[in-house]
């Protein structure tokens, strides 16, 4: 005997489709939504409907509900630098650092032969097209992983083949701020040693 | 500079209203919903709309989308026993044990003077009304907590005052199955000792 009515069951089933939400969490959320008297149902419904208005910026492929995204529309940013990221959410993280003032390019994935994702499945062709304009630097802000490395090498190859006069850089990898060396993995430590910064030149 | 478009921000804000969902989880869920191509948005919207059809059973105050709930509508159950629970979700847990075959009564809260919840704020009056019918036993399935104990005592008082010929019982409290005695709290151990079962009578 299932003591829950069908509409509640259906809501639980739909909530379970969300990442990281299991049967117990979905039930708790559904019962909370059901009991809510402060417009949560209406708020969620209208937010879910409105989110359909979000599409990709035709220039950088960031998320936007306008003709171009907020960053592409900002005339105060440096047009000569493009930062290449995997996902739109990476832009949020980079922007929160207030360190970068150029443009972005979202690949929407990484080259991953093991997952059958080739260079044509992500926005690489579109990146090379953008590099026809006078761009000074491409900052590759992809995660330091096998896929990130493969994709970075691929971008480097494309830039070479196109004979473009553009410098490429990658985010530094090393010990994160507040990270304790004794708890770091070997690859991070190896990378931090390999790319060590000189703080005093032996003159 | 907020790189997320407004409709996405709104969806994140609405998802944050759910219990246990913080900024990071809400962002992850919203981006997942946005990227979904398998009808998740539609599924959630229609489930949220349908869940409005759920109301309380006029008899036992369980959740239902029919005139009475599935348990009240079941003619095969014992009318002479009523199990009193705090929330509809407690019924799910009790039903999953396949041990109880009577009716239910959902209080929708517990008497809690500290939170300003008095006997009139929960479905106690309705319980006493139901006890006018020939009921043999009321099984109080409230959590063993201060509020659960106060509410159980209140039910006992109401039954006494109404001069009803009905027996009252409460769920046993003690060590849960698979629980290790060395990790149990003092109150549970004290309760398990106080209510120990005799397994062999000294004859």
């Amino acid at each position: 005997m299932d003591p829950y009515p069908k509409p509640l069951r259906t809501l639980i089933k739909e909530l379970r489709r969300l990442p990281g939400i299991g049967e117990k969490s979905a039930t708790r959320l559904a019962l909370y939504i059901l009991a809510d008297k402060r417009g949560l149902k209406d708020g969620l419904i209208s937010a879910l409907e409105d989110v359909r208005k979000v599409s990709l910026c035709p220039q950088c492929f960031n998320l936007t509900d306008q003709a171009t995204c907020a960053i592409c529309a900002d005339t105060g940013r440096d047009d000569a630098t493009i930062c290449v990221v995997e996902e739109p959410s990476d832009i949020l993280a980079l922007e929160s650092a207030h360190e970068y003032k150029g443009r972005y390019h979202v690949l929407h994935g990484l080259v991953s032969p093991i997952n059958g994702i080739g260079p044509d499945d992500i926005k690489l062709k579109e990146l090379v097209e953008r590099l026809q304009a006078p761009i000074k630097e491409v900052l590759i802000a992809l995660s330091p992983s096998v896929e990130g490395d493969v994709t970075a090498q691929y971008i480097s190859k494309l830039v070479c083949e196109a004979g473009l006069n553009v410098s490429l850089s990658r985010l530094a990898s090393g010990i994160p701020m507040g990270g304790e060396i004794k708890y770091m993995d070997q690859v991070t430590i190896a990378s931090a040693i390999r790319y060590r910064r000189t703080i005093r030149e032996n003159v």
Side-chain angles (χ1 to χ4, degrees), chain A residues 3-127:
Chain A
Y4 285 155
K6 194 156 170 291
L8 186 60
R9 272 273 150 244
T10 309
L11 182 57
I12 293 170
K13 208 186 74 195
E14 292 295 332
L15 289 169
R16 278 204 60 179
R17 296 175 60 184
L18 295 170
I21 306 283
E23 180 75 21
K24 288 216 171 178
S25 300
T27 305
R28 195 167 51 94
L29 294 178
L31 287 168
Y32 183 88
I33 290 169
L34 184 67
D36 177 81
K37 300 260 187 294
R38 295 173 304 121
L40 180 55
K41 285 184 275 289
D42 290 321
L44 282 168
I45 289 171
S46 99
L48 286 163
E49 268 159 2
D50 281 357
V51 87
R52 291 185 215 266
K53 291 180 199 153
V54 176
S55 58
L56 299 184
C57 172
Q59 204 164 339
C60 74
F61 305 99
N62 185 14
L63 301 169
T64 181
D65 59 335
Q66 308 290 324
T68 53
C69 80
I71 291 172
C72 286
D74 184 349
T75 53
R77 298 184 76 112
D78 174 20
D79 283 320
T81 321
I82 293 180
C83 175
V84 178
V85 297
E86 181 187 353
E87 297 292 347
S89 46
D90 296 326
I91 298 184
L92 186 72
L94 289 160
E95 284 297 289
S96 69
H98 300 289
E99 183 69 30
Y100 178 73
K101 297 292 168 207
R103 305 293 175 182
Y104 286 94
H105 186 88
V106 187
L107 293 178
H108 288 276
L110 294 174
V111 175
S112 170
I114 210 163
N115 294 312
I117 303 169
D120 296 337
D121 299 319
I122 61 175
K123 309 284 185 194
L124 274 172
K125 199 166 49 92
E126 292 83 350
L127 175 63

Side-chain angles (χ1 to χ4, degrees), chain A residues 144 170-175 188 191-192 195:
Chain A
R170 256 193 105 170
L171 289 187
S173 49
I175 319 291
T188 301
S191 172
Y195 302 114

Side-chain angles (χ1 to χ4, degrees), chain A residues 130-174:
Chain A
R130 287 182 75 185
L131 298 183
Q132 305 304 320
I135 303 290
K136 272 203 266 178
E137 183 181 356
V138 171
L139 167 55
I140 302 176
L142 303 176
S143 301
S145 64
V146 173
E147 286 84 3
D149 292 354
V150 168
T151 311
Q153 279 165 27
Y154 205 88
I155 292 170
S156 176
K157 182 173 153 257
L158 288 176
V159 166
C160 246
E161 284 174 358
L164 295 166
N165 184 24
V166 54
S167 61
L168 293 177
S169 57
R170 256 193 105 170
L171 289 187
S173 49

